[in-house]
Amino acid sequence: MIRAAIQDLNRVRQIAVIAAKYGFADLIDRTGLRKQLPDRPPEADATTRSMSVARRFRMMLAELGPTFVKLGQVLSTRGDLLPADFIEELSTLQDQVPPFGMEEVRAQVRAAFGQPLEQLYAEFDPTPLAAASMAQVHRAKTREGVEVVVKVQRPGITEQIRADLSVLHTLARTLEAVIEEVSVSSPTGIIEEFDRAVHDELDFLNEAANVRAFVRSHEGRANVRIPRVYDELTGRTVLTLEFLRAPKLSIANLDDGARRRLASIVLEEAFRELFEDGLFHGDPHPGNLLVYEDGPVLAIIDFGLVGRVTRQMQDALIQLILAIALRDSESLARQLYRLGTPDGRANLLQFKTDIDGILNAYLPTAIKDVNAKLLLRDLLNLAVKYRVRVPREYAILARAAVAIEGILRSLYPDMPIGEIFMPYAKKLLADRYDPAQLQGGAMKTLLRLQSAASELPLQLQQIMLDLESGKFTVTLNPNQMESLNNNLRALAVVAFAGLCACGFIIGTFIAFAPKQWEVAGVPVLGVLGIASSVFLFSTAVVRQVLGGFRKVSLRRLLGRK
């Protein structure tokens, strides 16, 4: 424990030095980190200070290491937290780290399986295909001669991330008290969510489970390939997958006809993942998509980030798509409100008016004219305005949607939105309410409606009887009760201090009446008694009534250049 505390303190000092380097020295002073530094760290030079705050923030995260890079990538999906220029900068964050050596690779493999690397693989390329902050990937061959890719976790990364997360949790609790947007997105909640996501990513068994789930859901889909997992060569720190010999989408050589067919495959795959499988790829950028040019056939790799949607979320998203396709702003406003978690009552009429403006601005007829980043940014800004919390799965979905939009734009920029969206959405909606499926969700809905209809008269009768007998009670929201309790406590403290002050004044005059200590005709003891009483009462008032501080807006603070 002591060792961990010392490591955390050293990491805090490193963070403070790097933050000062990129022009955030004032934040170091405000958070009290300056006390942890033996010397004043060097501040940003003129060139660095001339950059935007967003760029300096992105560069700072990149230098702070893998945990902060991952945090920046997560924050790049949270347009409800940061201004647009921050989102754009953080979206460019990449893991740019040197690879680690073969001796460390051999040590990781031996630690994972208890056998030397040479006994597990017939061939193993010492030059990695890719190197990231958490792992690197090598090509290899199994003992049976099958080509595979092996993902090996970077040594020591678990300890570094543990130390960084400890610091981030402390920082989040500090921000909780001073950031205006915490009512919509809690800093501690974001870091806890990030903590779970990072630990899931560190355990390669989770990614292996994601790959197996994708393999099962894609059985029978001839135009999409998913790599196979080699279970006997997979553990918590080593993952072995089938090697798919195909070029990445970004460099595939396709004619116009093949590009259009591939665009249809990509869009259909996105819809089927979301609305049929309930399991979707969270990072479908061109580097994670491969193309077999004869067909074409789409191949998907890298399943470290996936999203899951429930049947209820699927139904809501279907109605959302239909509302967008029909330009029904009223239905769209209601669906968006239901998708999130409202933090209070919203003005749906004004919400509808704002959605009208977004639809008119961002919903033309061709995909080439749609800017998904701006559309999602404005929708998330509306979430902040109307105090609607955005769940994690929708944040991942928004990120995936932006990536898919970019791919479609590059493959088939003139793709008509209505021609693609409407038939698929109608089919999905019809499937939900197919009479042949009544034994499923629709039947459950009918049973619930029947139950509610039969119980409603009895419930109303019970309410009337309780009113007549004086037994009717109302349950208040716990947050309201806590606020009322705080107000009553503050009132009691102020009243008590006032009574004490009055008693102090009266007691002072009575006790010191025989003593006529005067200076220039002013009774000294009386003045001291009154001054002490005023100080006591003022302290109580300031502490209980004026002692709070106004929270700052993270959006406005970070938006300053």
Side-chain angles (χ1 to χ4, degrees):
M1 181 180 296
I2 296 176
R3 180 180 179 183
I6 293 174
Q7 290 176 342
D8 290 349
L9 181 58
N10 290 333
R11 185 56 173 159
V12 167
R13 290 175 177 174
Q14 292 175 4
I15 292 171
V17 170
I18 294 174
K21 174 182 174 182
Y22 288 100
F24 298 104
D26 56 334
L27 294 179
I28 298 174
D29 293 333
R30 294 180 187 180
T31 57
L33 292 179
R34 180 79 69 191
K35 299 176 182 178
Q36 310 297 332
L37 304 177
D39 301 308
R40 184 179 183 86
E43 299 189 5
D45 55 28
T47 302
T48 303
R49 287 195 299 270
S50 66
M51 300 177 184
S52 67
V53 179
R55 177 159 298 183
R56 288 189 279 121
F57 184 66
R58 189 257 299 167
M59 294 170 65
M60 179 186 71
L61 293 182
E63 186 167 338
L64 284 172
T67 310
F68 290 85
V69 169
K70 289 294 179 184
L71 177 61
Q73 291 171 344
V74 170
L75 289 175
S76 70
T77 67
R78 302 305 300 264
D80 55 333
L81 256 188
L82 300 175
D85 56 337
F86 275 75
I87 299 300
E88 187 169 350
E89 283 286 344
L90 293 178
S91 299
T92 65
L93 268 177
Q94 299 292 332
D95 293 337
Q96 298 176 347
V97 295
F100 51 93
M102 272 303 297
E103 289 305 315
E104 293 171 299
V105 171
R106 288 190 178 91
Q108 288 289 78
V109 172
R110 178 181 282 276
F113 305 116
Q115 299 181 56
L117 181 146
E118 289 74 15
Q119 292 183 14
L120 298 170
Y121 300 95
E123 296 180 14
F124 199 97
D125 190 348
T127 304
L129 287 173
S133 56
M134 291 193 178
Q136 64 187 33
V137 179
H138 293 259
R139 285 187 58 180
K141 281 187 179 180
T142 65
R143 303 300 296 180
E144 295 74 24
V146 180
E147 286 190 301
V148 294
V149 290
V150 184
K151 185 176 181 180
V152 183
Q153 189 173 109
R154 185 173 289 273
I157 190 66
T158 302
E159 292 74 16
Q160 182 178 349
I161 287 178
R162 185 213 61 79
D164 287 345
L165 284 171
S166 176
V167 174
L168 284 172
H169 277 291
T170 302
L171 180 60
R173 288 191 291 270
T174 303
L175 293 177
E176 192 86 23
V178 297
I179 300 301
E180 182 180 284
E181 289 87 349
V182 295
S183 60
V184 177
S185 298
S186 163
T188 54
I190 292 173
I191 297 303
E192 287 170 1
E193 173 188 310
F194 174 66
D195 192 339
R196 290 191 296 270
V198 169
H199 279 93
D200 285 345
E201 190 171 345
L202 284 172
D203 187 349
F204 291 170
L205 292 177
N206 291 317
E207 185 172 349
N210 292 337
V211 177
R212 294 189 198 98
F214 267 82
V215 169
R216 289 192 298 269
S217 64
H218 284 72
E219 290 178 356
R221 298 183 190 176
N223 54 8
V224 180
R225 286 196 60 182
I226 307 296
R228 170 196 164 190
V229 179
Y230 288 83
D231 296 329
E232 65 279 7
L233 297 173
T234 294
R236 292 186 179 276
T237 58
V238 178
L239 173 65
T240 303
L241 298 172
E242 174 188 5
F243 176 68
L244 301 180
R245 187 180 291 276
K248 293 182 178 181
L249 175 60
S250 55
I251 61 174
N253 184 21
L254 302 172
D255 58 32
D256 290 342
R259 295 174 72 85
R260 292 192 178 195
R261 289 194 299 273
L262 184 60
S264 298
I265 292 173
V266 170
L267 187 57
E268 181 182 6
E269 170 64 15
F271 270 98
R272 296 187 73 172
E273 286 182 12
L274 189 60
F275 296 113
E276 294 182 14
D277 307 336
L279 178 73
F280 63 93
H281 197 291
D283 194 17
H285 63 75
N288 287 335
L289 302 179
L290 311 180
V291 181
Y292 290 89
E293 298 177 8
D294 51 336
V297 174
L298 181 70
I300 306 174
I301 61 174
D302 192 355
F303 297 86
L305 179 64
V306 301
R308 289 175 170 82
V309 290
T310 63
R311 180 62 178 258
Q312 182 180 5
M313 293 169 67
Q314 289 174 338
D315 291 341
L317 287 170
I318 290 171
Q319 297 177 46
L320 184 67
I321 291 173
L322 283 174
I324 292 175
L326 296 172
R327 294 175 179 263
D328 184 352
S329 57
E330 182 174 348
S331 297
L332 183 56
R334 292 184 182 277
Q335 287 304 318
L336 287 174
Y337 190 67
R338 290 169 183 166
L339 284 180
T341 306
D343 192 35
R345 184 176 178 274
N347 184 339
L348 285 178
L349 180 60
Q350 186 59 44
F351 198 19
K352 170 186 173 297
T353 302
D354 291 343
I355 293 243
D356 265 327
I358 292 177
L359 291 180
N360 292 332
Y362 297 116
L363 201 61
T365 58
I367 194 72
K368 67 178 181 179
D369 299 320
V370 176
N371 192 320
K373 288 185 179 180
L374 296 180
L375 172 62
L376 291 172
R377 181 200 68 188
D378 285 358
L379 288 176
L380 290 171
N381 282 340
L382 278 185
V384 174
K385 179 179 179 181
Y386 292 96
R387 307 178 71 81
V388 177
R389 298 174 183 172
V390 181
R392 175 179 181 267
E393 297 300 326
Y394 293 125
I396 297 175
L397 179 58
R399 173 178 176 169
V402 170
I404 293 295
E405 180 263 346
I407 292 171
L408 295 177
R409 186 192 297 273
S410 65
L411 291 173
Y412 187 5
D414 294 317
M415 176 181 286
I417 295 177
E419 180 182 323
I420 301 296
F421 281 5
M422 285 300 290
Y424 200 87
K426 288 179 179 179
K427 178 181 180 299
L428 288 170
L429 195 61
D431 289 344
R432 287 294 194 274
Y433 301 101
D434 185 352
Q437 304 297 326
L438 285 179
Q439 70 272 19
M443 179 61 77
K444 291 179 181 178
T445 301
L446 290 176
L447 288 174
R448 290 168 184 167
L449 288 174
Q450 181 183 5
S451 176
S454 62
E455 293 176 1
L456 185 59
L458 181 62
Q459 292 172 345
L460 289 174
Q461 183 180 9
Q462 181 66 52
I463 291 174
M464 297 303 297
L465 289 174
D466 288 344
L467 284 172
E468 291 178 1
S469 62
K471 297 179 180 179
F472 185 77
T473 59
V474 177
T475 302
L476 297 177
N477 187 309
N479 294 331
Q480 295 175 340
M481 290 298 296
E482 184 178 355
S483 176
L484 179 61
N485 185 43
N486 291 336
N487 291 336
L488 289 175
R489 183 184 295 111
L491 180 62
V493 170
V494 172
F496 177 74
L499 290 174
C500 289
C502 292
F504 200 5
I505 292 173
I506 295 173
T508 299
F509 281 111
I510 293 175
F512 295 104
K515 306 290 185 180
Q516 298 298 326
W517 295 348
E518 296 182 355
V519 177
V522 178
V524 175
L525 295 178
V527 170
L528 290 176
I530 294 174
S532 301
S533 302
V534 170
F535 174 77
L536 174 64
F537 183 73
S538 300
T539 300
V541 171
V542 170
R543 181 178 179 80
Q544 296 296 331
V545 180
L546 304 178
F549 56 86
R550 182 179 180 182
K551 293 185 177 182
V552 300
S553 170
L554 184 63
R555 180 178 299 273
R556 290 193 298 269
L557 178 64
L558 296 181
R560 296 174 183 172
K561 299 294 186 288

